[in-house]
Amino acid sequence: MARRPFIAGNWKMYKGPAEADTLAMALRRALVDVGAVDVAVAPPFVSLAVVGARLKHSGVHLAAQDLHPAAEGAFTGAVSGEMLKQAGCAYVIVGHSERRALFGEDDALVNQKVLAALRAGLLPILCVGETLAERDAGQERAVVTRQLEAGLRGVPADQLPSLTIAYEPVWAIGTGRSASPAQAQELHATIRAWLGAQYPAFVGASLRIQYGGSVKPANAAALLSQPDIDGALVGGASLDADDFFAIIRAAGGRPATAL
Ligand code: PGA
């Protein structure tokens, strides 16, 4: 497959600066050579600087977990894409299901954030995925394509390949119950077919689709071997350097050869 695998770690609200520095140091030791895999970690905002400094020139990119749609302004507590860019971020996660469910983000706000990320020169990782109730009702395809359609509104086709889509079924996040490789592949194929129908062929062919939801060293290889799964967005297992590295290796990363 021509698409370069992309493994990203979402640290969520774990690891303040001191603990983040320890984890980044452990990652730096493990990841002497990430091989042909793109790797990013998304620590909390307050830990971006320390992780960025520790992982400089390591091949691991810095990502943020969220951004505000405005470039600057009177938005107490918020952080803009432009600020994240200045802080060294390459990527930003947008529309994670926890943001949607716990912080009330709707498709329109997620769309504004995607556009803001691109404006700031960040590479958005747009998360989509259905809840258990939606899957039980047989609506997973409809939900995911609605989230895509709304989330990508106004993004020019030539900018789309700089995006990553993360398919994260909500019922699989943090539950230890991953989607099966076949279940994940089915939705990834749906997403790629949808992209192929909406945009010029190069978009569907080149845009990377990560799977997220209880990815662990034990299930990573089977998930990543599916033809339309181009990487993983990893929560819990990214907080352990050995587990995260095992997942990177499952995507084709090489083991460390020297310190
Ligand atoms: P998990 O989280 O790997 O802990 O299930 C994934 C995510 O929320 O991105």
Side-chain angles (χ1 to χ4, degrees):
M1 182 108 343
R3 296 179 296 271
R4 206 174 140 85
F6 178 26
I7 306 293
N10 174 10
W11 293 4
K12 307 194 178 183
M13 201 173 77
Y14 296 99
K15 309 292 179 190
E19 301 149 316
D21 194 35
T22 306
L23 177 55
M25 239 183 315
L27 273 179
R28 177 141 206 150
R29 271 198 299 273
L31 295 175
V32 171
D33 186 355
V34 295
V37 181
D38 285 340
V39 178
V41 292
F45 290 139
V46 292
S47 301
L48 284 169
V50 69
V51 173
R54 192 61 79 180
L55 293 177
K56 209 169 184 169
H57 307 306
S58 69
V60 179
H61 300 284
L62 207 53
Q65 299 176 16
D66 183 36
L67 77 165
H68 189 278
E72 62 180 5
F75 300 106
T76 302
V79 177
S80 73
E82 283 74 4
M83 292 170 180
L84 295 170
K85 181 79 182 173
Q86 220 180 93
C89 289
Y91 296 92
V92 61
I93 299 169
V94 180
H96 189 281
S97 65
E98 286 152 15
R99 300 291 320 170
R100 293 178 191 259
L102 306 174
F103 298 90
E105 295 196 5
D106 61 11
D107 285 331
L109 179 57
V110 170
N111 177 236
Q112 285 180 41
K113 291 185 174 191
V114 168
L115 296 170
L118 291 168
R119 181 194 65 218
L122 295 167
L123 306 171
I125 302 173
L126 171 61
C127 301
V128 297
E130 80 285 359
T131 63
L132 188 56
E134 288 162 344
R135 176 162 282 258
D136 286 345
Q139 292 169 351
E140 63 273 20
R141 283 191 196 73
V143 167
V144 164
T145 50
R146 185 207 74 219
Q147 290 172 335
L148 284 174
E149 201 275 326
L152 298 177
R153 195 164 291 155
V155 179
D158 63 350
Q159 286 203 49
L160 276 166
S162 40
L163 267 87
T164 300
I165 305 294
Y167 169 61
E168 300 205 302
V170 177
W171 46 271
I173 294 177
T175 59
R177 178 186 163 197
S178 161
S180 71
Q183 279 175 324
Q185 165 58 26
E186 192 186 349
L187 263 290
H188 282 233
T190 300
I191 292 169
R192 204 174 299 287
W194 183 86
L195 291 167
Q198 308 293 316
Y199 300 103
F202 74 90
V203 173
S206 58
L207 202 151
R208 293 185 294 193
I209 309 174
Q210 293 176 321
Y211 168 77
S214 298
V215 176
K216 309 285 175 205
N219 62 16
L223 287 161
L224 293 166
S225 69
Q226 299 297 311
D228 289 299
I229 300 184
D230 306 312
L233 183 53
V234 185
S238 73
L239 298 174
D240 180 293
D242 291 336
D243 282 358
F244 191 53
F245 184 55
I247 293 167
I248 292 165
R249 223 171 23 227
R254 288 190 292 267
T257 50
L259 282 179

